[in-house]
Amino acid sequence: MHAARSVRTILDSSPGHARKNFSDKLAVEQHTEGHGRIFRECNVPIKPGCLVKIWHGSYANWGIELNGTNKELREWAKTRAEHYAKKDIDDADRYIDRNDLVIQPHTINMNTSGSLVARITAEIVKKIGESRDKDALLKIAVIGARGGSLIGSIVAKLRELDENIIDNIQFHILEPSEKKIRLAESTLPILGLNELRKTRKGGFSLEFKSDEQFFSTWPKEDLDMVVSFFHMHGKPFPDYLGDLRAAMKDDAALVIADTYSPMWQHPVFVYGLLEDINIGQKILEQFRDHFAVMPLDDAQKIITTLNATEIQSLRDHHDYWLKVAEELNRGRYEKSLYFLRAHTTVTQRKLELATHGFTTEEETIHKAFPGILESQNIMLPCRIDPASDFVTVMVALKQQLETTNGG
Amino acid sequence: MPLGDLYRLPIQALEHWNIRVTDENRKQLEERSLKSFEEEWKVVTKEAYEAIHAAIEASGLGPGNTLLNENLAQMAAEIIVNIAKHKPEDEFIDMCDIGAGRGDTTGAILNELRFGPRISLLKRMRIYFIEPSADTAVPIRDMMKSYETLIRRNQQVRGADYDNLPMLKDNLFDIVVSNAVFHHKSFPTQFGELSRLIRPEGALVIGDWYTEVWQNPKYVAYLLKNSLSADDHMLTEFMRAFGTNWEEVSKFWNDAATDPTVNTRLEGMKNYIYNLNNELIKRQATLCLVEAHELLEQRKKKLQQHGFETDFKNLKERPAFKGMRGNYREVVPKNFAGVGAFAPKKLVA
């Protein structure tokens, strides 16, 4: 009975092909450990890394069956993903930070998204400020210091709109990388932002902590704005959204810039990447067998479920990591970079936000903040490359959660 | 870090370095300066470029470079929109990116145009890249691939080097952009070439870092000791060559630094060179010290001398500048870095 409960065998349409999904914690541990063993000895610049770092919604494609009753498995996966996410940050601090690699057009598109986030943030903050008392303090949390340039952009845009508004803004910049916090520290004075630490009411704090550490302890309904800059694709589970939402005022806005693609949601796409980096036939076969990947069959089934911008984002994401591998091959690398992350599609992100009490409906956003980005006729969500979801900026607002009356 | 060829210093500073510039020797000095630039940068290795990048980040200057690009793109996009309004719809808008590097500047401009109704302008763009380093061909190609459906491939033209500029026809470009390039060039008669190459209704948009640190050997002596830990003998010889001593050097730097504006720039360069030296040592790479940074006002004067209008009150009625609030944006405070737009003085025929 235990074996029957712990292993659910799915018969594929092709006779003789079976993928096993594991729902027992021990079995999942063995399954993920087996995946790790495949790549342990191979010397390639990029490798998958910890399996449970992918988006929880795609676990089943990788043989992990999360169901509502198995809380122990969920907690294990979440803790393990957080552990390896922290390790990735520490490795990036010590060895190589992907942000140091110039990969076109991704680098340009990320920079453009920063500029757009700054514009949106400034326009919304100005509108929010107009609805508050004249001397009210506005609080903005920014997740991802990005060395200070994002803050520099936001402050510059705010100053363009209203020279005095900065005095009444308090920025809280969250960054779990010690190296990036130190960089931001050295950048603030150069960008002329250090004096903002001592403004009349507003100012800066640089917080060396994760978003969960911050939002779980922040007062409820206190933030006017949250900016999430290329951070959500590192969160396999959406639990943090509850605390984040709770910390926001009812009319606050959440601006999200992120990379989107279904790349890590099915092993067939990873198989394609591993093939293209010439990882070796033996490893490819082990990977294929471990996840019961039938490349052509699987890929064709999944592609039909994607729209054009999602398919392009898949190509862009694949292309990005191929170039990272090429770039690392050109130089010295002391450590491989691990690529598995919790990327979703734009549609999946919107659904997840909706489930956690946010709306991304453009009409609602323009009703709440009339005229934002009007001068450039920018639609939200804004795809930096209109043909691809890969780098997209969106805005989310709190919506009232439905309450059910007791029976 | 070797000092490098002093003829690469900004031309207006040479007299402080005991080099006299006259009408008779100017051309020769310029040729020497350009030759030194090519020789010094020809041998710059991948490790040295990595060291530069790491030092920029470690000094907190990285965001400044990002912001320079961002602001340059916004200003250039505004100008391109204006130029497009005054050109027949079947004519290309010709843009040249000087010192294109890995394509960041052009990419940022094209991304600005990709938003909203401006996207229709992309079909009219024809882009020339001027970049002497062959290493950047791949990133530029990769960057331009993402615009292939919007900009036909045959509209992209790659030039090789600044030496190509004199071979190009008059009035070839509507807009020339350049980010963090001209601080390498002390005799920018390229400005003269550019005023010839840019159409009368066009514009030149420059992003750059500005500092006085190369203007006087006393500043450099201070850097040799405090950023590069030069040994006493070398420092003494350097100071003797330029008729100074440590007491004068120290006083010169500290007096200048009492002005917070100047202090920001001097400290910024001091930190950058300190970090650059460390990063070069780590990578066993070499780079020459002196460059051609100058102050914003000195740059504007050179532009004026080489046929450009720099004053916004004389630019704002020109079609390319219509509706703009100004032609200069300070990106890093105390005029440490900024973006400016200028136009050839020549009138429309």
Side-chain angles (χ1 to χ4, degrees):
Chain A
M1 275 302 281
H2 178 74
R5 273 204 304 272
S6 69
V7 172
R8 181 164 71 92
T9 303
I10 301 163
L11 290 173
D12 202 321
S13 55
S14 304
H17 169 73
R19 183 175 65 223
K20 293 186 181 120
N21 272 25
F22 304 97
S23 55
D24 175 74
K25 178 173 160 284
L26 183 61
V28 169
E29 280 185 40
Q30 288 169 349
H31 177 62
T32 58
E33 173 62 22
H35 164 246
R37 264 200 308 272
I38 295 170
F39 299 93
R40 201 155 287 156
E41 300 304 323
C42 68
N43 184 22
V44 282
I46 63 172
K47 294 184 192 182
C50 171
L51 186 53
V52 292
K53 283 167 62 190
I54 60 173
W55 182 54
H56 71 99
S58 57
Y59 272 11
N61 298 334
W62 290 81
I64 300 171
E65 197 69 38
L66 276 185
N67 56 50
T69 57
N70 196 342
K71 289 197 169 76
E72 194 194 4
L73 174 59
R74 193 181 193 279
E75 276 314 301
W76 172 84
K78 196 167 165 233
T79 307
R80 191 172 172 84
E82 280 166 9
H83 167 79
Y84 280 99
K86 179 74 176 69
K87 196 167 175 306
D88 285 342
I89 289 168
D90 293 342
D91 283 350
D93 281 357
R94 279 178 72 194
Y95 300 109
I96 183 159
D97 186 339
R98 276 191 292 135
N99 291 326
D100 290 343
L101 298 170
V102 173
I103 307 287
Q104 299 294 28
H106 183 68
T107 300
I108 283 291
N109 288 342
M110 269 194 74
N111 289 344
T112 303
S113 71
S115 171
L116 183 60
V117 164
R119 263 176 271 199
I120 293 171
T121 303
E123 290 192 28
I124 289 180
V125 165
K126 185 162 189 295
K127 290 242 180 277
I128 289 176
E130 284 164 3
S131 68
R132 303 263 194 273
D133 292 336
K134 196 162 93 46
D135 289 331
L137 184 65
L138 300 173
K139 296 181 189 173
I140 305 178
V142 180
I143 313 171
R146 204 190 167 209
S149 63
L150 179 61
I151 298 299
S153 282
I154 293 172
V155 168
K157 286 285 167 256
L158 281 165
R159 280 181 168 146
E160 266 177 46
L161 295 176
D162 182 343
E163 184 60 47
N164 299 316
I165 199 172
I166 294 291
D167 282 351
N168 290 355
I169 296 182
Q170 203 178 70
F171 289 94
H172 297 274
I173 305 158
L174 316 177
E175 179 51 68
S177 155
E178 198 169 349
K179 179 177 162 190
K180 285 185 181 158
I181 277 274
R182 275 193 268 114
L183 277 179
E185 280 272 3
S186 62
T187 298
L188 288 184
I190 293 168
L191 294 182
L193 302 179
N194 212 27
E195 73 269 16
L196 289 182
R197 287 198 148 139
K198 300 184 177 78
T199 59
R200 199 161 40 90
K201 288 162 66 170
F204 268 92
S205 70
L206 277 171
E207 316 229 7
F208 177 37
K209 51 175 70 157
S210 70
D211 55 334
E212 271 144 339
Q213 289 166 324
F214 179 85
F215 290 112
S216 62
T217 55
W218 198 257
K220 304 273 179 278
E221 297 186 8
D222 191 56
L223 293 169
D224 296 281
M225 187 110 188
V226 177
V227 177
S228 162
F229 199 73
F230 294 92
H231 117 274
M232 287 189 179
H233 69 259
K235 316 290 287 187
F237 292 91
D239 306 0
Y240 67 100
L241 286 173
D243 284 338
L244 190 158
R245 186 184 183 282
M248 290 168 64
K249 289 183 174 147
D250 282 346
D251 60 349
L254 168 61
V255 180
I256 305 165
D258 210 354
T259 35
Y260 296 93
S261 97
M263 183 76 183
W264 313 129
Q265 294 188 13
H266 200 288
V268 70
F269 300 134
V270 174
Y271 183 94
L273 179 63
L274 294 172
E275 202 172 27
D276 285 348
I277 64 166
N278 299 316
I279 201 163
Q281 198 54 35
K282 185 172 159 206
I283 304 230
L284 273 178
E285 281 167 9
Q286 286 176 338
F287 180 85
R288 185 200 62 200
D289 293 343
H290 192 75
F291 295 106
V293 177
M294 296 276 285
L296 200 58
D297 288 354
D298 283 359
Q300 278 172 348
K301 268 189 242 167
I302 297 156
I303 295 285
T304 56
T305 66
L306 303 175
N307 64 37
T309 53
E310 288 167 350
I311 292 171
Q312 187 57 44
S313 74
L314 199 51
R315 289 194 198 111
D316 290 341
H317 208 169
H318 178 104
D319 188 51
Y320 171 78
W321 276 102
L322 208 56
K323 285 178 192 163
V324 168
E326 285 168 8
E327 193 65 27
L328 292 177
N329 269 331
R330 266 198 275 273
R332 307 174 299 274
Y333 58 94
E334 293 172 64
K335 223 178 178 314
S336 302
L337 281 180
Y338 299 109
F339 51 69
L340 286 181
R341 287 289 186 286
H343 287 82
T344 66
T345 62
V346 167
T347 307
Q348 287 163 340
R349 173 67 53 75
K350 285 165 105 176
L351 273 169
E352 198 154 73
L353 286 165
T355 311
H356 288 81
F358 290 95
T359 177
T360 53
E361 293 298 317
E362 194 175 7
E363 204 181 308
T364 312
I365 290 160
H366 280 291
K367 205 168 157 196
F369 304 110
I372 59 161
L373 302 177
E374 206 171 59
S375 59
Q376 287 157 294
N377 206 15
I378 291 176
M379 312 284 282
L380 292 168
C382 178
R383 293 171 174 82
I384 301 301
D385 175 355
S388 170
D389 275 357
F390 196 39
V391 180
T392 297
V393 176
M394 64 171 82
V395 175
L397 304 181
K398 279 174 81 163
Q399 60 182 2
Q400 291 307 311
L401 292 174
E402 283 177 17
T403 53
T404 53
N405 292 323
Chain B
M1 284 180 84
L3 199 60
D5 191 350
L6 294 183
Y7 294 98
R8 288 201 50 222
L9 292 164
I11 177 177
Q12 65 273 15
L14 289 178
E15 58 169 327
H16 298 294
W17 292 78
N18 301 338
I19 300 170
R20 199 161 64 103
V21 180
T22 64
D23 289 340
E24 288 76 31
N25 70 8
R26 180 182 289 267
K27 192 166 159 48
Q28 209 177 349
L29 287 172
E30 180 176 353
E31 281 167 11
R32 165 84 186 255
S33 172
L34 286 172
K35 191 158 177 281
S36 298
F37 167 73
E38 280 163 23
E39 281 171 5
E40 286 177 16
W41 280 86
K42 197 167 57 182
V43 298
V44 171
T45 59
K46 186 173 188 291
E47 287 73 24
Y49 277 113
E50 283 172 11
I52 292 169
H53 180 71
I56 287 171
E57 291 300 317
S59 317
L61 301 179
N65 270 339
T66 306
L67 290 172
L68 266 178
N69 231 19
E70 190 177 299
N71 281 274
L72 191 156
Q74 286 165 16
M75 198 179 268
E78 243 185 294
I79 288 172
I80 287 168
V81 167
N82 281 342
I83 288 172
K85 283 180 193 158
H86 292 87
K87 284 192 90 154
E89 280 198 27
D90 59 350
E91 280 186 20
F92 285 124
I93 300 163
D94 292 300
M95 181 170 91
C96 178
D97 185 346
I98 301 242
R102 300 194 204 200
D104 289 342
T105 301
T106 291
I109 294 168
L110 296 180
N111 270 355
E112 280 290 321
L113 294 173
R114 203 149 57 167
F115 291 137
R118 293 171 165 191
I119 196 170
S120 61
L121 291 180
L122 287 177
K123 283 192 167 27
R124 295 175 61 185
M125 296 295 295
R126 186 161 55 187
I127 303 164
Y128 297 72
F129 296 98
I130 304 282
E131 174 50 56
S133 164
D135 279 348
T136 63
V138 168
I140 287 179
R141 184 199 67 206
D142 287 343
M143 193 265 302
M144 291 307 292
K145 259 196 207 159
S146 70
Y147 302 99
E148 253 172 18
T149 54
L150 297 162
I151 301 181
R152 291 193 304 276
R153 287 187 73 177
N154 62 7
Q155 291 181 13
Q156 304 164 37
V157 179
R158 289 208 67 219
D161 208 334
Y162 307 103
D163 287 346
N164 292 125
L165 293 179
M167 299 179 207
L168 300 174
K169 295 191 298 198
D170 289 2
N171 300 324
L172 195 58
F173 302 121
D174 291 295
I175 180 168
V176 170
V177 297
S178 182
N179 194 23
V181 164
F182 288 113
H183 65 256
H184 294 303
K185 303 279 190 168
S186 87
F187 283 81
T189 51
Q190 283 97 349
F191 291 147
E193 281 299 306
L194 293 178
S195 76
R196 180 181 69 79
L197 293 168
I198 299 174
R199 292 169 183 145
E201 319 84 2
L204 168 66
V205 187
I206 300 175
D208 214 346
W209 293 87
Y210 299 101
T211 172
E212 50 272 88
V213 91
W214 310 119
Q215 305 289 322
N216 194 298
K218 293 190 181 82
Y219 285 134
V220 177
Y222 194 89
L223 291 176
L224 286 174
K225 182 168 166 76
N226 289 292
S227 295
L228 300 177
S229 304
D231 64 57
D232 288 344
H233 173 75
M234 191 251 187
L235 185 60
T236 305
E237 289 301 304
F238 179 88
M239 289 188 295
R240 184 178 298 149
F242 296 103
T244 189
N245 56 56
W246 182 249
E247 199 182 321
E248 271 184 20
V249 162
S250 192
K251 184 174 187 311
F252 190 81
W253 181 282
N254 291 327
D255 284 350
T258 55
D259 180 338
T261 300
V262 176
N263 187 48
T264 297
R265 297 192 292 254
L266 292 179
E267 283 299 309
M269 288 303 287
K270 187 176 119 201
N271 288 336
Y272 169 64
I273 288 164
Y274 172 81
N275 285 311
L276 180 57
N277 190 46
N278 287 343
E279 296 293 338
L280 287 166
I281 291 169
K282 227 193 281 183
R283 291 167 177 75
Q284 296 177 318
T286 305
L287 195 65
C288 291
L289 175 65
V290 298
E291 283 291 351
H293 294 82
E294 55 198 347
L295 293 169
L296 174 63
E297 290 312 310
Q298 291 166 332
R299 173 69 56 80
K300 281 185 181 174
K301 195 171 164 195
K302 270 187 193 155
L303 285 163
Q304 286 158 9
Q305 286 167 347
H306 287 85
F308 281 93
E309 180 56 67
T310 62
D311 198 334
F312 185 61
K313 68 176 191 292
N314 299 327
L315 291 169
K316 62 185 180 182
E317 293 309 318
R318 290 188 180 218
F321 292 79
K322 267 275 192 280
M324 287 174 67
R325 282 189 286 185
N327 70 323
Y328 182 76
R329 285 187 205 182
E330 184 183 78
V331 169
V332 179
K334 317 287 194 263
N335 274 332
F336 197 3
V339 176
F342 315 102
K345 282 181 188 166
K346 61 190 177 188
L347 297 171
V348 179

